[in-house]
Amino acid sequence: MAKLNLFIITALGILFTIAESMRFDLNSGNTKCIGEDIKSNSMTVGKYNVVLPNEADAIPDSHKLTVKVTSPYGSTYHFGDHVDSGNFAFTAAEAGDYTTCFWADEHRPETTVTVDFEWKTGVSAKDWSKVAKKGQIEVMEIELKKLYETVTSIHDEMFYLREREEEMQQLNRSTNSKMAALSLLSLVVCLSVAGLQLWHLKTYFERKKLL
């Protein structure tokens, strides 16, 4: 029971902070892609911006980026061309790995672009401050609503993981069946070739009157 409680508390803590916040460097002429596994009908928001170089008063053209967010099946959810900042928000229509790619234009001499990127999904993607402002909800009610959303998210996540596990098991069973069929076919082919070789040798020796 204690282990179960510990698991629930840990899961709650993780789900309250389902956000990927990072800072990375990108050299001109290169690409960096970041993936996020998102369930269908889950909300996700992201924002990015180029960090101002120390010696510049404004973002130079050499530090502008092309940014594209795509779904597992190639649908484009966000596209920014030659930008230094931006944001996106959408509800995932497909389950799977969504990808955000950053391209830095070729530049000589080579430059290094520093990017701040934050990506939130699920419960953490919701703007709770606007919810509280709109409904005049007390702090405790907001926390209870967050807890309810988190428990719902855990429930959905468990079913999602179970579905993925069933898909993997079905794929494994299908692969094992195909491998067994190929192994049987290989054995039949090998035995057939061996039989033909024996028949050929027997026929050859009989013709040469060696048998």
Side-chain angles (χ1 to χ4, degrees):
M1 187 64 180
K3 290 183 178 180
L4 178 61
N5 292 335
L6 179 61
F7 169 77
I8 294 174
I9 293 172
T10 304
L12 289 175
I14 292 173
L15 283 172
F16 270 124
T17 57
I18 300 178
E20 188 171 358
S21 181
M22 65 181 70
R23 171 175 289 195
F24 59 88
D25 292 333
L26 181 62
N27 293 330
S28 57
N30 291 334
T31 302
K32 182 176 180 63
C33 293
I34 299 166
E36 183 75 18
D37 187 11
I38 303 176
K39 303 191 301 293
S40 60
N41 299 321
S42 292
M43 184 178 181
T44 182
V45 297
K47 61 181 180 180
Y48 56 88
N49 65 277
V50 174
V51 178
L52 186 69
N54 293 330
E55 69 279 1
D57 296 327
I59 301 293
D61 286 343
S62 60
H63 283 60
K64 297 297 178 67
L65 302 171
T66 298
V67 184
K68 187 177 183 180
V69 182
T70 55
S71 73
Y73 297 99
S75 302
T76 300
Y77 279 83
H78 173 77
F79 181 78
D81 186 24
H82 203 63
V83 297
D84 55 50
S85 64
N87 56 72
F88 56 86
F90 59 87
T91 299
E94 309 157 1
D97 289 327
Y98 285 71
T99 306
T100 302
C101 289
F102 299 84
W103 290 273
D105 293 336
E106 188 76 29
H107 190 269
R108 290 290 180 268
E110 186 179 81
T111 59
T112 299
V113 183
T114 302
V115 183
D116 278 337
F117 179 48
E118 184 177 15
W119 199 353
K120 298 179 180 179
T121 61
V123 178
S124 61
K126 295 188 177 182
D127 191 343
W128 294 100
S129 61
K130 289 184 179 180
V131 174
K133 184 177 179 180
K134 181 178 179 180
Q136 298 298 320
I137 304 174
E138 298 294 335
V139 175
M140 183 60 69
E141 291 178 289
I142 286 291
E143 293 301 323
L144 289 174
K145 187 171 180 62
K146 285 184 182 180
L147 184 61
Y148 174 77
E149 293 280 351
T150 302
V151 172
T152 303
S153 181
I154 291 176
H155 183 266
D156 293 340
E157 184 72 18
M158 291 175 65
F159 276 97
Y160 174 68
L161 292 175
R162 185 178 298 173
E163 290 175 358
R164 293 292 292 269
E165 183 181 1
E166 289 177 355
E167 290 175 2
M168 291 301 298
Q169 290 178 351
Q170 185 175 357
L171 178 61
N172 288 336
R173 287 193 293 268
S174 176
T175 302
N176 290 336
S177 299
K178 291 178 180 178
M179 289 299 296
L182 286 174
S183 298
L184 181 59
L185 178 61
S186 299
L187 180 61
V188 171
V189 170
C190 290
L191 292 175
S192 300
V193 171
L196 287 173
Q197 287 179 335
L198 289 173
W199 175 80
H200 176 72
L201 288 173
K202 182 181 179 182
T203 305
Y204 174 78
F205 287 139
E206 287 177 347
R207 277 203 314 266
K208 296 296 183 178
K209 298 181 179 181
L210 296 176
L211 291 178

